[in-house]
Amino acid sequence: MLQSPTPKKRRRGRLFRFSSALVVLLAVAGYLLVQYVTGGRGGPGCKVVSGKDDGQAYEFSQEQTMNAATIAAVGTGRGMPERAVTIALATALQESQLVNIQHGDLDSLGLFQQRPSQGWGTKKEILDPTYAAGVFYEHLSKVDDYQQLPLTVAAQRVQRSGYPEAYAKHEPEAALLSAALTGQAAATLTCQGLPDTTQTAVGPDAVRAALVRDFGRTVLKETGAEVTGGGSASKDKSKAKAESTPTPSASATGGSSTVTLPVRSGSTRTGWQLAHWAVANSSVLHIERVSYAGREWAAGSADDPWHATVTKASGGVRIVTSQQGGEK
């Protein structure tokens, strides 16, 4: 004859089931948090460190870092100061965690949770990070003395958020990202940089197209980009033309090519911005190495600092990119 469980055993059973359910709930919550922060795309990440050697550092996914680099590049292309970039990055961190989300409160979308119904643009435009950043800066530039205002006040005058104080908590990480991505702090951004196999537009043309997309059409004219093809026995060298937007190439010819972005003497800040931009975009553009000012970054070295290189200085940023694209 089976005996009924004692009250003590029943309590233990309920406690066990409750504990098991709590563990599962926490695991699901953790998974959803990671999916939100990374946009559902896990994998290798990036790290930005302080240029003041004070141990301050933050980690981001490759997607977050690429979006941050776009925001910084758009600001620079518009002649906005570093403070404006910091405000934009802190705003995007609060609104979307730097993930280009396609849903939000009411009809808000994208990196800044901008709303088509409020005149920010069409859904397609807002979901274009370059457009979204540009329209944010357009509104910020109309805020009187925004550089002297507390960050949360300046951001709120653009966003009109229901939680205006929330922007302030992101200022430290936004400041580090801004210093790196505007070139103020040298060799402070690293990424794992493993190639995104879903990308088919890779190689020098894709790099040039992405530069124009983020910085504007004058970037190639200013840098006089040169390309050296290393995928075959021939060594073709040509000047990139700024008059027409480069067409991304989906060719997979094997080997690597080098895009060189000459930097004028005394413009090291510009050089480091371009170098860090390349690292931030390394995954989608299949960039293998970036060299500038006697330092080099290599894909697969997110935890390693930029190291000194024995390669003769070219006076510019050298971007070595694989021409192998992903499966179509």
Side-chain angles (χ1 to χ4, degrees):
M1 180 177 177
L2 294 174
Q3 294 183 345
S4 299
T6 65
K8 187 175 182 180
K9 288 183 177 180
R10 285 197 295 270
R11 285 196 298 272
R12 286 177 178 173
R14 286 196 296 269
L15 180 60
F16 176 79
R17 288 192 296 273
F18 174 79
S19 300
S20 299
L22 181 60
V23 169
V24 172
L25 181 61
L26 290 173
V28 171
Y31 170 79
L32 292 176
L33 178 62
V34 170
Q35 295 302 298
Y36 175 75
V37 171
T38 65
R41 303 176 189 178
C46 304
K47 179 189 292 185
V48 61
V49 299
S50 172
K52 300 177 181 178
D53 197 26
D54 55 10
Q56 192 177 18
Y58 294 94
E59 294 185 355
F60 301 93
S61 71
Q62 187 91 44
E63 179 184 10
Q64 288 175 302
T65 310
M66 182 175 65
N67 287 329
T70 292
I71 291 171
V74 171
T76 298
R78 286 172 169 259
M80 301 295 283
E82 184 182 346
R83 178 62 175 173
V85 175
T86 300
I87 294 169
L89 289 172
T91 302
L93 280 163
Q94 170 59 27
E95 297 292 350
S96 69
Q97 284 294 310
L98 285 171
V99 173
N100 197 24
I101 56 181
Q102 300 191 29
H103 55 82
D105 182 43
L106 301 176
D107 61 337
S108 57
L109 300 163
L111 295 176
F112 296 91
Q113 290 292 277
Q114 295 157 338
R115 298 179 60 188
S117 66
Q118 300 301 308
W120 285 93
T122 66
K123 177 179 179 180
K124 182 178 180 181
E125 286 174 333
I126 292 172
L127 288 174
D128 175 359
T130 304
Y131 171 88
V135 75
F136 177 88
Y137 287 121
E138 181 181 330
H139 282 71
L140 180 64
S141 66
K142 297 176 182 178
V143 176
D144 292 337
D145 299 324
Y146 71 84
Q147 292 194 68
Q148 284 70 49
L149 294 174
L151 184 146
T152 189
V153 174
Q156 173 64 2
R157 290 188 181 175
V158 175
Q159 296 293 108
R160 308 297 182 185
S161 169
Y163 305 95
E165 299 83 5
Y167 299 114
K169 66 184 179 184
H170 296 290
E171 185 165 3
E173 55 192 310
L176 252 63
L177 273 175
S178 180
L181 293 171
T182 61
Q184 180 67 32
T188 53
L189 178 71
T190 56
C191 289
Q192 190 68 15
L194 298 184
D196 182 347
T197 57
T198 66
Q199 298 296 317
T200 56
V202 298
D205 286 341
V207 171
R208 291 194 297 254
L211 281 164
V212 171
R213 175 199 69 203
D214 286 359
F215 288 93
R217 298 174 67 86
T218 61
V219 64
L220 297 183
K221 183 177 180 180
E222 291 176 355
T223 61
E226 297 180 352
V227 178
T228 302
S232 62
S234 63
K235 299 291 183 179
D236 298 324
K237 192 173 184 180
S238 61
K239 290 282 185 180
K241 296 182 179 179
E243 291 78 16
S244 60
T245 302
T247 302
S249 170
S251 62
T253 58
S256 301
S257 293
T258 300
V259 179
T260 302
L261 307 175
V263 177
R264 293 190 298 270
S265 177
S267 300
T268 55
R269 182 168 179 174
T270 297
W272 278 113
Q273 179 172 22
L274 292 168
H276 285 152
W277 175 92
V279 171
N281 285 272
S282 57
S283 181
V284 294
L285 294 177
H286 291 206
I287 293 172
E288 299 174 342
R289 293 192 306 278
V290 180
S291 303
Y292 179 63
R295 307 287 290 275
E296 184 175 80
W297 165 90
S301 57
D303 295 327
D304 297 328
W306 286 69
H307 59 271
T309 177
V310 295
T311 304
K312 185 178 179 181
S314 63
V317 179
R318 295 178 67 253
I319 302 171
V320 179
T321 175
S322 169
Q323 292 186 350
Q324 291 287 359
E327 296 293 333
K328 285 189 177 182

